[in-house]
Amino acid sequence: EVQLVESGGVVIQPGGSLRLSCAASGFTFVDYSMHWVRQVPGKGLEWVSLISWDGSRTYYADSVEGRFTISRDNSKNSLYLQMNSLKTEDGALYYCAKDKGSTGWLFDYWGQGTLVTVSS
Amino acid sequence: DIQMTQSPSSLSASVGDRVTITCRASQSITIYLNWYQQRPGKAPKLLIYAASSLQSGVPSRFSGSGSGTDFTLTISSLQPEDFATYFCQQSYSTPFTFGPGTKVDIK
């Protein structure tokens, strides 16, 4: 059974830094690209970032480019999101999602999310 | 960026009804269109990928169609567990954008 478990969400002040983690199990982690997707509770979904299976390629939404860094440790089956210079609008539930590895980039398994609140 | 729109934004339906949700992309995305279901307090769940392919384990009452800019998600006979919000998502190019969602609730 595929499991994705996010952690690291906290209440943090604007301008602060935070690192989210996602522990993956139930599939061969190294074989798949991975994503972060966020959602303000009660609102829509926003794709944040993508990392290829080997970490050689990364992509970001314009809203986080230059402030967030996605990374992975395939030896630990773990995905990370380093978030710097946080803004109030970065507050959301952050989901780790596995790429299906099929037609285009899409998310076939999701974690339950970790909540980031950015507030002074 | 490719903009995604959905209609309607919400609908009320009864168990057994046929429900159709439409998604439109601001430019052609060929068949790179996916549908997700999100129940309250839960993570999204992939239903349909590549416009019309049913994700493993998803009931056959869900189907998708379309190509280019116009797509449709159909639930042939609405079941109690289908009351949820449905999102479309384009996987044609970054940033991978979602539609605003369609909330399906009980009439």
Side-chain angles (χ1 to χ4, degrees):
Chain A
E1 178 192 5
V2 172
Q3 286 200 338
L4 299 169
V5 180
E6 303 93 336
S7 61
V10 293
V11 178
I12 191 165
Q13 292 189 340
S17 296
L18 190 59
R19 189 197 201 200
L20 305 183
S21 300
C22 172
S25 61
F27 65 104
T28 305
F29 185 70
V30 68
D31 285 350
Y32 294 93
S33 297
M34 296 292 294
H35 303 262
W36 288 99
V37 178
R38 68 184 181 184
Q39 183 176 36
V40 174
K43 303 296 183 183
L45 295 158
E46 181 186 16
W47 170 81
V48 172
S49 185
L50 155 68
I51 188 167
S52 61
W53 66 274
D54 61 353
S56 64
R57 291 175 293 158
T58 58
Y59 303 88
Y60 299 93
D62 287 348
S63 57
V64 307
E65 178 85 57
R67 299 187 298 120
F68 289 13
T69 302
I70 191 171
S71 62
R72 64 191 295 162
D73 185 339
N74 288 337
S75 69
K76 296 182 178 179
N77 288 351
S78 293
L79 176 72
Y80 306 103
L81 186 68
Q82 178 66 43
M83 309 164 66
N84 298 332
S85 304
L86 281 160
K87 304 176 180 180
T88 54
E89 54 264 40
D90 294 321
L93 187 63
Y94 282 75
Y95 292 106
C96 163
K98 172 186 168 292
D99 191 83
K100 183 172 172 64
S102 179
T103 309
W105 303 96
L106 61 147
F107 325 107
D108 61 347
Y109 289 95
W110 301 61
Q112 286 305 300
T114 188
L115 186 62
V116 174
T117 303
V118 185
S119 173
S120 54
Chain B
D1 296 2
I2 298 173
Q3 308 303 316
M4 307 299 294
T5 58
Q6 287 182 235
S7 61
S9 56
S10 64
L11 65 91
S12 295
S14 301
V15 172
D17 283 353
R18 181 180 182 89
V19 169
T20 299
I21 299 169
T22 297
C23 176
R24 176 165 290 176
S26 59
Q27 65 182 73
S28 177
I29 56 172
T30 65
I31 62 165
Y32 289 88
L33 189 283
N34 315 298
W35 291 96
Y36 301 85
Q37 175 194 66
Q38 187 175 34
R39 298 187 178 113
K42 300 296 186 181
K45 172 187 174 183
L46 178 64
L47 298 176
I48 301 285
Y49 64 97
S52 61
S53 295
L54 191 67
Q55 172 68 354
S56 177
V58 174
S60 59
R61 63 180 179 272
F62 291 93
S63 64
S65 64
S67 65
T69 60
D70 294 320
F71 302 87
T72 300
L73 173 70
T74 299
I75 310 171
S76 60
S77 178
L78 200 65
Q79 298 301 300
E81 60 269 31
D82 301 337
F83 292 96
T85 299
Y86 294 84
F87 296 94
C88 61
Q89 175 245 334
Q90 64 85 13
S91 49
Y92 184 80
S93 65
T94 60
F96 308 119
T97 43
F98 291 85
T102 296
K103 184 176 181 181
V104 177
D105 60 23
I106 302 172
K107 182 184 287 186

